[in-house]
Amino acid sequence: QYSKAANNSKELEDCEQANKLGAVNSTLSNQSKEAFIDWARYDDSQDHFCELDDERSPDAQYVDLLLNPERYTGYKGPSAWRVWNSIYEENCFKPRSVYRPLNPLAPSRGGDDGESFYTWLEGLCLEKRVFYKLISGLHASINLHLCANYLLEETWGKPRWGPNVKEFTRRFDPAETKGEGPRRLKNLYFLYLIELRALSKVAPYFERAVVDLYTGNGHEDAESKALLLDIFRDTKSFHMHFDEKSMFAGDKKGAKSLKEEFRLHFKNISRIMDCVGCDKCRLWGKLQTQGLGTALKILFSEKEIQSLPENSPSKGFQLTRQEIVALVNAFGRLSTSIKELQNFKVLLQQTR
């Protein structure tokens, strides 16, 4: 405690701020607590054919997302980098000898501008290239949320939140990122198209009368389902730019093996997210990872969705309450990212 490092007031202030901003607001009304018990009882009575890792864990808890908006928390530096580094290194089918551009945890490569990484990436099969782009797009989306909802000022206990153009430039400007920023944003749009495609594909599952978004309030349930079906109708009106049929289209044995690899990688990414030292960052990171995993599950289950019976449950395809919440909220986050990106374009034009 008497060391120079321990008495660095700036580091202590940053740490205290990160702990404060990153804390999860776990406030729940008595009405909500009673509803969760009712929901669990209803869900237990249903036939489920996929089990999520931590859904029934004693450590799991319900959180009101409206009380915990995704924004800057002060969680940054080596700790945050190690989490993302583990996600890329362990799950993107990448050998250790190939270094990602601008990775501060990788050994120094002198004049390497990162092009060797993309040369390696182009040599992969379509499915593995897609996987990397999805993770990169997710990373870009989360960074955009933090830049767009940044703590600009904190005076007399009244924080002022808003877009931080300087932080956005540091993370995405071509000059600041050696040309890497635009690639990240391109992957963000690619991820958006993937999840948009999944929403359009899952519509038949929800259009069936047997599917009920149960909360115990029949009127609100019907209204919620009607709103969800409106979203699906909007997605169908959009000209899709991605066709998942080109994925896993090889021999059946190889395709099945690769699809299983995808599934295991997403489970591993969710476990890595458990290592995030900021509660709020972990909450939104896991939710968006699970949302993407659910989107891929939908895209790879098209035949099962099309053959679902109208008036009875099916063992062929099922979505849990947790997956539905993750899918809709993850797409909401991506939509917000696209909107905030347009806002930053305007702000950058005004500052020039």
Side-chain angles (χ1 to χ4, degrees), residues 20-214:
K20 178 183 174 183
L21 298 177
V24 166
N25 184 339
S26 55
T27 304
L28 292 173
S29 67
N30 289 331
Q31 183 181 4
S32 294
K33 292 175 183 177
E34 292 172 3
F36 295 149
I37 295 172
D38 188 33
W39 294 1
R41 190 182 299 115
Y42 176 85
D43 291 346
D44 288 341
S45 69
Q46 304 302 299
D47 291 325
H48 292 308
F49 303 99
C50 57
E51 193 66 46
L52 300 170
D53 284 347
D54 53 8
E55 190 172 17
R56 301 186 184 280
S57 167
D59 296 326
Q61 64 178 17
Y62 282 99
V63 173
D64 188 336
L65 295 178
L66 296 178
L67 296 179
N68 295 278
E70 187 183 17
R71 59 191 180 190
Y72 173 79
T73 63
Y75 182 66
K76 55 188 176 182
S79 178
W81 265 107
R82 277 194 292 271
V83 171
W84 280 110
N85 195 61
S86 296
I87 288 174
Y88 284 108
E89 294 293 324
E90 294 180 20
N91 298 287
C92 287
F93 306 93
K94 194 179 77 60
R96 296 283 179 178
S97 58
V98 178
Y99 300 110
R100 287 182 296 115
L102 303 177
N103 180 2
L105 300 183
S108 176
R109 295 296 300 270
D112 186 6
D113 58 0
E115 288 305 314
S116 58
F117 170 82
Y118 290 103
T119 301
W120 163 81
L121 189 65
E122 288 304 312
L124 294 181
C125 66
L126 169 68
E127 292 84 356
K128 292 180 179 180
R129 292 201 306 274
V130 164
F131 193 97
Y132 168 77
K133 289 181 178 180
L134 294 176
I135 300 305
S136 174
L138 178 63
H139 194 177
S141 178
I142 290 174
N143 280 337
L144 251 171
H145 302 153
L146 307 186
C147 295
N149 212 349
Y150 203 90
L151 181 61
L152 301 176
E153 189 178 25
E154 188 173 19
T155 55
W156 302 103
K158 292 185 178 180
R160 185 168 65 89
W161 301 88
N164 187 325
V165 176
K166 184 177 180 182
E167 187 68 20
F168 174 83
T169 301
R170 187 179 72 81
R171 293 175 185 262
F172 295 107
D173 187 86
E176 294 278 345
T177 61
K178 297 181 180 178
E180 184 67 17
R183 276 175 164 145
R184 296 170 180 168
L185 295 176
K186 187 176 181 181
N187 291 335
L188 164 65
Y189 278 99
F190 178 72
L191 173 59
Y192 178 79
L193 292 175
I194 291 279
E195 294 203 12
L196 186 67
R197 177 78 165 175
L199 287 179
S200 70
K201 289 288 183 180
V202 80
Y205 174 82
F206 288 97
E207 287 168 350
R208 297 177 304 148
V210 72
V211 174
D212 179 21
L213 301 177
Y214 178 82

